[in-house]
């Protein structure tokens, strides 16, 4: 019912910046929250940042002060601006969305396909 398409990953040198985008499309009554997760090889998936429609934005301690999440509700798109990137930020970044498609039904969780971010010199 809802598709998430990510873009913006790639290879960047330490200290560099990247901006990830994730656009939601399909049957959308309301986007309740969107977020970014990442998974590095051999590690568990972790929540990087999450922005609810109302309430506080969340950032993992490891990215506070370097990453910024924002939402354009007119475009149903979430962004993750990543600055001062470190090699330990290398991972597959996946977009997640909590979407209400039918206001009479509970919301559902959706995932993007993931985009690789590699920080290396």
């Amino acid at each position: 019912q809802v598709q998430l398409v990510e873009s913006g990953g790639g290879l960047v040198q330490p200290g560099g910046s990247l901006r990830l985008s994730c656009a939601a499309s399909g049957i959308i009554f309301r986007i309740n929250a969107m977020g970014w997760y990442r998974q590095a090889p051999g590690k568990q998936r972790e929540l990087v940042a999450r922005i609810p429609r109302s309430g506080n934005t969340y950032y993992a301690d490891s990215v506070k002060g370097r990453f910024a999440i924002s939402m354009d509700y007119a475009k149903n798109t979430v962004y993750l601006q990543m600055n001062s990137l470190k090699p330990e930020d290398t991972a597959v970044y996946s977009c997640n969305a909590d979407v209400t498609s039918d206001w009479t039904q509970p919301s559902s969780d959706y995932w993007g396909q993931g985009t690789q971010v590699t920080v290396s010199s």
Side-chain angles (χ1 to χ4, degrees):
Q1 284 185 317
V2 176
Q3 297 78 42
L4 302 180
V5 178
E6 299 140 337
S7 60
L11 173 65
V12 63
Q13 291 187 342
S17 299
L18 280 176
R19 188 193 194 206
L20 304 182
S21 301
C22 174
S25 63
I27 303 174
I28 299 172
F29 173 73
R30 182 180 63 241
I31 292 178
N32 303 304
M34 292 190 79
W36 290 94
Y37 288 73
R38 68 184 180 186
Q39 187 167 21
K43 294 188 177 181
Q44 288 189 329
R45 185 172 62 190
E46 65 169 338
L47 175 61
V48 176
R50 186 174 186 268
I51 182 166
R53 194 173 193 92
S54 60
N56 296 325
T57 299
Y58 168 86
Y59 292 98
D61 287 343
S62 58
V63 307
K64 283 181 181 177
R66 301 189 297 123
F67 290 11
I69 189 170
S70 60
M71 183 74 195
D72 184 338
Y73 287 101
K75 296 181 179 180
N76 289 334
T77 299
V78 66
Y79 304 95
L80 185 67
Q81 179 66 43
M82 305 185 293
N83 300 324
S84 302
L85 283 161
K86 305 175 181 180
E88 50 263 44
D89 294 317
T90 295
V92 174
Y93 285 70
S94 298
C95 174
N96 170 263
D98 176 12
V99 178
T100 298
S101 296
D102 180 344
W103 67 276
T104 67
Q105 300 296 322
S107 63
S108 296
D109 226 29
Y110 297 91
W111 291 89
Q113 78 284 1
T115 185
Q116 178 70 44
V117 171
T118 302
V119 184
S120 175
S121 55

